[in-house]
Each structure stands twice: as structure tokens, then as C-alpha cells.
Amino acid sequence: MKPSFPHPIIILLGFIILAGLSSYFVQSGRYDRVLDLETGREVIVPGSFQAIEDHNASIYDIALSVPEGIILGADLVALILLIGGAFYVVEKTGALQEGIEALIYRFRNRKYLLLYFIGFVFAFCGGTIAMQEELIALAPIFVLLAKKIDYDIRAIIALALGSALVGASFSPVNPFGSLLSQTIAELDFQEGFAFRVVFMVAAILIWCAYHIKYGKLKNLNSEIFEIKPVKISLRHTLILFLTFGGIGVMAWGIIYQDWGYNEMSALFFVVGLSCGLIGKLGINGTARAYTEGFGEMIFAGIIVGLARSVYLILQNTAIIDPIIHGIFVPLESLPVQFAAIGLYISQAIIHIPVPSTSGQAVLTTPLAVPLMDLLGVSRQVAVLTYQYAAGLMDLITPTNGGMMAVIAAAGIKYNNWIGYLWKSWLLLMGLGLISVLIALFWFA
């Protein structure tokens, strides 16, 4: 019997066990931390690393981290279930099917414009509000769109989720990435803004062009369907308006009202119920559709929780700081260009055990800044190596629960996702590295 690639849950359980085993080989340690009044977060004090009493994860601790990780991410799991349920209700009304068919007819002779539009919209959402987990519930829409326009579902997910992550990685205004890191590095927001915008535009264009070109299915035996005009009914128009209006309200709430997962969950719970009633599903029919939606999304929620479990073990055994210390210290003795390349690669590696981009900014920027000062290099390089590497790693690292949940909801196996994505990922990693090397002279 031919061995199959591990299930996503098995992959994450493997990382949980690996994290536990690592505690026996890495001495526990910590940096001192102080409250940064500008960001409201605790940041590391450079030069304060010290070894502490060793903490090793027992079998009991490893097993306990599974439910604890899910509980730790309970607010995000609730968001996935409630938004997922809402979109399942909308799908049951037939409004999504009708809306997508009308959209395809509108762009019937210029499908590439539709795909570029999708890429740019999600890149904007990623660059401004770091959209990722919110896309889990949209997976059924992407699957339906891929079937209708005869595209590989992986390409459509790359144009949606991928563009959002690329936008977040290269954006000069991502509040959870570049802005946070620049604030910690005590840099002016306007400094390097145009530089970042140029590379952000280049990254998004390259990413979208690649997946629009190579995502088209080459099945010569596929049946050709006639694209007929579709008129969206008034009832379905109202449902679509409520649904996508809800996405707009969510973006407004995140940016201007400091909304968290609970506020977003409540919003889409109301949207889902309203759409079900407007779509004539009835009270019981809406409840049944919501329940079916929960069933579709529960796997994605568990994936997110298990990803939290990996970080939880590393945090409880106090080996995150030693890992970062061990990676950063050797860079001090390297020539400037090699130190920048080493820092870029190091930030990519660190993002595997630290899948939170904001968490990584808080952990690594206070250490990267003194390193750049020591080498006589602009602090912008410290920020750029972090934001590009960490952001792009979100596309492939299995400890990123959001990405794993989206591809799982779209029915894509992790190995198939990596098999499709790796060339375009390396292309943008190369672009990011070029930007870092140019920055050494640009900000000199």
C-alpha cells in the first residue's frame, strides 16, 4: 500500500510533539521585558538574556496542550464557526451561485480582469487590516468560482488568501506588521514609505500575474458550457448586499472601532440569520443551514486551535527566547551584507515556532535594531527583514493555523498546496531579499 501524505491534524500533532521534545535539548531562558508605551506591548530588553531553571514538557503537558490550545483560540474558533455558518446559509439561499454566475457573465471575455480584481482587493485587505482568518468562511465561494471559470482551486486561493498575505507582508501600513515594527524601532512612519510602496506594488503584480497565468486548468476534455446572461433577483440582491456589506462593516469595525473576534462573530451571526429569513429558508431551515455550516467549519477551527498548541508548549517551556538568542548572536560577527541576508533567513525560520507576525515583531525587532546599529546599518533593514520574511512564511508554514484552515476548508491537501505554491513563493522571497540588499545602500 502506497503511503499517503499526513493529514493536516497529524502534521500539527507532529509539530506539537516536536515542540515538546525540543524542550529537552534547549535550555530554558528568557529576556527581560518592559512595557512600550507607544505600542502598549511588552518588548524585549536587548542584552538581558539569561538562562533559567529548565522546564521540560512531559507527555502529560504535550497531551494537555491540545485542548488548551483550542481553548486559547476559542474566540477565533467561534469566529470561524459563526462566519462559516453565515456563508453556508447564504449559499443555501442560492444567492452566491446567482451572484457568481452574473459576475462571470460580466467578465466573460476578460476573465483575467476579474482575477486581477480579486487579487488586488484581497491584497488591499491584507495590507490594511491583515485579513487572513476571515477568509476561511469564503472557501466555498472560491471553490464555486474555480469550477465556473475552469481554474485550479489552488490558484484561486493563492489569488485570495495568498494576495492578502503578500499584501500584509509588503505593506507599509499593516498595523500588525511593518507599522508595529517601525514603532518599536523608533522610526518615522514616512521614512521609507515610497520605497515600501514600490516593492509592494511589484510583489502584488508578480504574484497575481503568476497565478493567473499558471492557474488555468489544461484539461482538453473538459466540457465547454455556454455562458448565459444572469439576472439577479431582488431577493438575492438584498442577500448579497447584506453579506458583502457585512464584510465592509467588519473592516470599518477593525480599523476604527478596535473590533476583536467577538464583535465580528456577532455581526455575521446577525447577517446569517437575516439572509436565511430573507431567502425564505424559514426559522427552522435557517437554523438547520447554520448547523450544517458549523459542521463544515469545525475542522478548520480545530486546525487553528492545534496551531496555537505548538506555540503554547514553546512558551510554557521557555525556549522561544533561547531559540531567538541562538539564531541572532552569530550574526554580529558577519559582514554587513551577509548579516542582512542572515537576518532575513533567521526571521523566516523564527516564524515557524512564532506564527504570530505581531508577536514576532515584539520578540525580534528589539534585538535586530541593536544589531543593525552595531553594524552601522539603517534600522529600516531590521524592519524590512522581519516584515518580508515573516509575512511570506505565513504562506507555507503549517504552524500558521489561518492558512491551514483556509486550504482545509477549500479541500486542498497541504502537500498539494506546497507543490503548487513553492515557485511563486521563492520568487517573492527573492524579491524581498533584493529589497533588503538595496535598502542597505538606499537608507545609508
Side-chain angles (χ1 to χ4, degrees):
M1 181 178 177
K2 185 179 179 181
S4 59
F5 192 82
H7 190 275
I9 287 182
I10 300 302
I11 294 173
L12 285 170
L13 287 176
F15 270 88
I16 292 171
I17 294 170
L18 181 62
L21 292 175
S22 299
S23 66
Y24 289 88
F25 298 96
V26 180
Q27 170 67 41
S28 300
R30 67 166 178 242
Y31 285 98
D32 292 334
R33 286 168 167 78
V34 295
L35 181 65
D36 187 320
L37 296 178
E38 287 194 54
T39 63
R41 298 168 182 260
E42 286 190 337
V43 297
I44 281 175
V45 177
S48 64
F49 180 79
Q50 56 186 318
I52 61 173
E53 181 184 353
D54 207 19
H55 298 283
N56 298 324
S58 65
I59 295 176
Y60 174 79
D61 295 327
I62 294 173
L64 193 62
S65 70
V66 173
E68 285 184 341
I70 295 172
I71 292 169
L72 185 65
D75 53 352
L76 180 53
V77 173
L79 174 70
I80 292 169
L81 292 178
L82 290 172
I83 290 188
F87 274 93
Y88 197 84
V89 170
V90 173
E91 186 180 7
K92 284 292 184 181
T93 65
L96 280 181
Q97 172 88 10
E98 200 171 82
I100 289 175
E101 288 180 354
L103 191 63
I104 292 172
Y105 179 77
R106 175 69 180 80
F107 289 92
R108 62 192 180 279
N109 297 322
R110 298 185 299 275
K111 290 181 183 178
Y112 68 94
L113 288 181
L114 172 61
L115 295 174
Y116 271 114
F117 176 75
I118 291 171
F120 292 160
V121 166
F122 283 109
F124 174 80
C125 292
T128 53
I129 62 173
M131 177 180 281
Q132 182 178 181
E133 288 88 356
E134 297 84 355
L135 295 176
I136 297 170
L138 299 179
I141 300 177
F142 301 141
V143 171
L144 186 59
L145 177 62
K147 290 180 179 178
K148 291 290 182 181
I149 63 175
D150 203 26
Y151 255 75
D152 190 328
I153 180 57
R154 296 172 299 179
I156 300 300
I157 296 298
L159 286 168
L161 170 70
S163 295
L165 293 176
V166 169
S169 177
F170 282 83
S171 170
V173 295
N174 177 5
F176 308 103
S178 59
L179 282 185
L180 176 59
S181 185
Q182 285 185 79
T183 302
I184 295 171
E186 299 179 345
L187 292 170
D188 185 354
F189 160 72
Q190 295 181 351
E191 181 185 348
F193 182 84
F195 181 90
R196 283 179 168 81
V197 168
V198 168
F199 279 95
M200 178 185 69
V201 172
I204 294 170
L205 285 173
I206 291 171
W207 183 262
C208 291
Y210 181 96
H211 293 288
I212 290 172
K213 180 178 180 180
Y214 294 105
K216 180 68 175 175
L217 292 176
K218 299 178 176 63
N219 184 4
L220 300 178
N221 296 322
S222 61
E223 186 178 352
I224 300 175
F225 295 94
E226 181 185 357
I227 302 176
K228 298 179 180 179
V230 176
K231 183 178 180 181
I232 304 177
S233 68
L234 180 61
R235 188 183 303 278
H236 286 171
T237 300
L238 182 56
I239 291 172
L240 293 173
F241 176 79
L242 279 174
T243 302
F244 292 100
I247 295 175
V249 171
M250 179 180 69
W252 169 82
I254 293 171
I255 297 172
Y256 297 107
Q257 300 299 317
D258 196 27
W259 275 14
Y261 293 137
N262 289 342
E263 289 83 359
M264 290 186 277
S265 297
L267 169 67
F268 274 94
F269 179 67
V270 173
V271 168
L273 289 178
S274 302
C275 290
L277 295 176
I278 294 171
K280 288 188 174 182
L281 296 182
I283 296 176
N284 288 334
T286 301
R288 281 192 294 271
Y290 235 123
T291 303
E292 292 172 9
F294 291 160
E296 294 288 328
M297 289 291 114
I298 191 64
F299 172 54
I302 295 298
I303 289 292
V304 170
L306 290 178
R308 297 282 180 98
S309 300
V310 178
Y311 183 77
L312 189 63
I313 287 184
L314 297 175
Q315 185 180 52
N316 290 344
T317 55
I319 62 174
I320 294 176
D321 287 4
I323 291 172
I324 294 172
H325 178 74
I327 291 175
F328 272 38
V329 168
L331 299 177
E332 296 176 2
S333 59
L334 295 177
V336 171
Q337 291 84 354
F338 289 106
I341 295 171
L343 186 58
Y344 187 71
I345 296 172
S346 298
Q347 291 283 20
I349 295 171
I350 289 169
H351 198 65
I352 298 174
V354 186
S356 166
T357 50
S358 58
Q360 185 168 342
V362 172
L363 283 170
T364 63
T365 304
L367 299 177
V369 164
L371 175 62
M372 295 298 100
D373 291 345
L374 179 66
L375 296 172
V377 176
S378 171
R379 294 183 174 187
Q380 290 287 354
V381 175
V383 176
L384 291 172
T385 51
Y386 146 73
Q387 74 170 91
Y388 294 155
L392 292 175
M393 281 298 289
D394 267 343
L395 285 162
I396 64 168
T397 177
T399 53
N400 177 14
M403 178 275 294
M404 292 291 285
V406 171
I407 64 173
I412 303 170
K413 293 181 179 180
Y414 177 70
N415 59 315
N416 291 336
W417 171 250
I418 298 300
Y420 169 78
L421 203 72
W422 70 272
K423 290 181 181 178
S424 58
W425 179 79
L426 284 177
L427 195 61
L428 288 200
M429 284 293 285
L431 178 67
L433 184 56
I434 290 171
S435 173
V436 168
L437 293 175
I438 292 175
L440 288 173
F441 305 97
W442 188 272
F443 297 105

